């Protein structure tokens, strides 16, 4: 099982538990805000979950609809942030 699938599964499980939804209702491309599953408060809790689970702090300029619209977009956002985090570790490694 690859890390991207594991990440999506963790996100899906969180969303199911936070919204009391059925597993069948939450697909990778389900639009979380448009379908009324999350509101602004739900987004704050989601950001807390991402911070705790994936060790990523979300910056104000990253609070864009396209980053949090669905499991697909959230997982892409997390992957991008993890890549940036890894890159900065490599750049800042003492020689």
């Amino acid at each position: 099982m690859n890390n991207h699938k594991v990440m999506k599964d963790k996100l899906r499980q969180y969303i199911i538990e936070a919204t009391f939804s059925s597993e069948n209702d939450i697909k990778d491309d389900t639009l979380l805000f448009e379908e009324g599953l999350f509101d602004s408060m739900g987004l704050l809790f989601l950001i807390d979950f991402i911070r705790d689970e994936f060790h990523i702090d979300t910056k104000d300029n990253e609070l864009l609809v396209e980053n949090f619209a669905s499991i697909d977009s959230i997982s892409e956002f997390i992957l991008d942030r993890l890549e940036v985090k890894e890159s900065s570790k490599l750049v800042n490694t003492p020689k």
Side-chain angles (χ1 to χ4, degrees):
M1 189 179 300
N2 69 31
N3 289 339
H4 199 199
K5 180 166 177 10
V6 171
M7 180 187 306
K8 283 185 173 188
D9 288 344
K10 286 181 180 184
L11 288 166
R12 182 176 297 100
Q13 192 58 43
Y14 170 78
I15 293 164
I16 288 168
E17 290 174 11
T19 62
F20 304 103
S21 295
S22 155
E23 195 168 328
N24 295 332
D25 293 337
I26 309 297
K27 307 291 184 223
D28 289 353
D29 61 351
T30 299
L31 298 174
L32 303 172
F33 294 94
E34 286 186 24
E35 296 198 19
L37 295 167
F38 278 155
D39 57 13
S40 58
M41 204 58 179
L43 176 61
L44 294 176
F45 289 123
L46 175 62
I47 290 169
D48 284 343
F49 170 76
I50 290 169
R51 183 192 62 229
D52 295 344
E53 186 68 33
F54 303 104
H55 311 289
I56 294 173
D57 289 320
T58 304
K59 299 176 181 128
D60 288 346
N61 65 339
E62 296 170 325
L63 294 173
L64 306 170
V65 172
E66 56 265 18
N67 288 337
F68 299 96
S70 65
I71 291 174
D72 282 335
S73 62
I74 297 166
S75 64
E76 287 302 319
F77 168 73
I78 293 170
L79 285 174
D80 289 346
R81 286 299 312 276
L82 289 173
E83 286 176 12
V84 167
K85 200 173 182 179
E86 280 303 307
S87 296
S88 67
K89 282 183 185 176
L90 293 174
V91 170
N92 294 323
T93 304
K95 294 182 182 183

